[in-house]
Amino acid sequence: MVRPTQQLHPAREPVPVRAAATVLLLRDSEAGIEVLMTRRSDRASFAPGAYVFPGGQIDAADEAAQRIATHRPTQSGLQLTQAIAAIREGFEELGVLLARHADGRPVSAEAIASMDRSTTSPVSFVAQCEQRGLLLASDQVFTLAHWITDRDLPKRFDVPFLVARMPEGQTPTADESEQFEPCWVRPADALARHAAGSFFMIFPTVRTLQRLAAYAKVDAVLQACAGEKPLWTSCPRAGLLGGQDARYMEGESPYGELALVCPDGQLLHTLDWQSEHAVPLLKNVQRLTAPNAGAMTGPGTNSYIVGDAATGYLVIDPGPNDAAHIGRLWRATQGDIRMIVCTHSHADHSPGAAPLQALCEKAKPPILGLSSAPTARSSARFAAERELLDGERLVLSGTDAEGQEITHTLRAIYTPGHAANHVCLVLEEDSLLFSGDHILNGSTTVVDPPDGDMNAYLDSLDKLDAACEAGGIEFILPAHGYVIGSARAAIAQLKAHRLKREAKIASAMKKLPQGTPEDWLPLAYDDVPERMWPVAARSLAAHVARIRQLASAQ
């Protein structure tokens, strides 16, 4: 894990979460699924004025109410309590009651109207149901999702988002205290109105509706939830984008970076891509992105600066031969560069090495890496001043102002595949992996034969996974895109994607046995924009070579 001394922001304990439950009441219409929503009071302490689903905190009486609640055999005790809380909140806030008599008859509108919805009623909700012989229909309530409120917020909840079919014959009526303006709305319409600024919703509501919009019928939603597990679980993280709060779920591109830089949810990290200034990720790690954004480079090539004023600096991937970018690297290190490492020889990674070295007049830092293999394209030639050995350690050390010894150790890992001379680096003290182009955020890397090799690429993924397991590595710093979190899961997902693509290529080859790569490409990459097919053709060639190697070995 990252050393606490290298974190940019002081550790803090996020606000504890409170148990709550919310329910999406659904109905079918000619236009598709509709969900019941209501507007929160403008004076509410959480999400004032937002359109939400009915719900609230779970209390002790909800668990005690299990004696009058029906349940599925597969429904856990916790799920039952959550369902009861959601049913109670739906009744108190909107006058909707999911209940029936012991003989199966649904509760009538007249019976509901006779009940006291006030939270200060002298007769509890459970007692009122018992007086009328009602059983709570908690067996008709299913778990859709599990949300934990973001770490940066002052009020937080641990809340399942439940789903149930709206009971027939009931009309929602807001309590006009906590909730107002109940309305039925299609998910797509709610999202459109939110985007237009006329239907304010908070992040979990928006994301839930985005996923709900994929279902055509209520039955399809309930069937998807039949496994008794949430379809997704998320505790979002927030950063700043364009000067505004921006929130992200696990698996979304900036999430890992926010987890690294602001682990306790501090809303301080700016996510805007720029090339003018180095972006601190830790006290001893900065990222300066070259101004070479494009289809192949994403927001640009990330040059990483490792070290501090006491130890001097090591630069990873100085990038293209761009004078402005190289000058910024030199200024960000105060010219105290001890080593320059190129992960591989491609034109957006290594050409800046020699010009950056030339700026360091006091002491010339060695240029390290692996020289280009004979298979490299003419545009990707690189000669290291010293060849890195697999497993070799590069050490920066010094003494800080308090007299404390500081060490930053980078271990080289030989990872051919994207290029024959590709090297990754592990910052051992902070368990970080600098992945070069072997692992990217937001896209898969190109494996371009003959310098690229798919067998080597997949083997190197396994090697990096083993390194992450052995070193407790959680974060990957790629040469393109934001920091990646959950390192081993990301590697596993990447490998699975590659093998899935390979299966599509093999299927295309079987379908057109006399075909050519040009014939197989549209079949195997039918989910990729056609403008990217010329690039995809390179990786297809690598997969075809591997498929044929495997076939010949059988």
Side-chain angles (χ1 to χ4, degrees), residues 241-264:
L241 192 65
Q244 303 294 318
D245 295 5
R247 300 187 183 274
Y248 301 92
M249 294 172 63
E250 297 82 348
E252 294 184 309
S253 175
Y255 191 91
E257 181 153 322
L258 294 171
L260 173 65
V261 181
C262 302
D264 298 327

Side-chain angles (χ1 to χ4, degrees), residues 275 288-292 318-329 347 351-353 355-356 359:
S275 299
L288 182 62
T289 303
N292 62 337
N321 189 358
D322 181 289
H325 178 66
I326 293 164
R328 294 183 191 113
L329 283 172
L356 179 61
L359 289 179

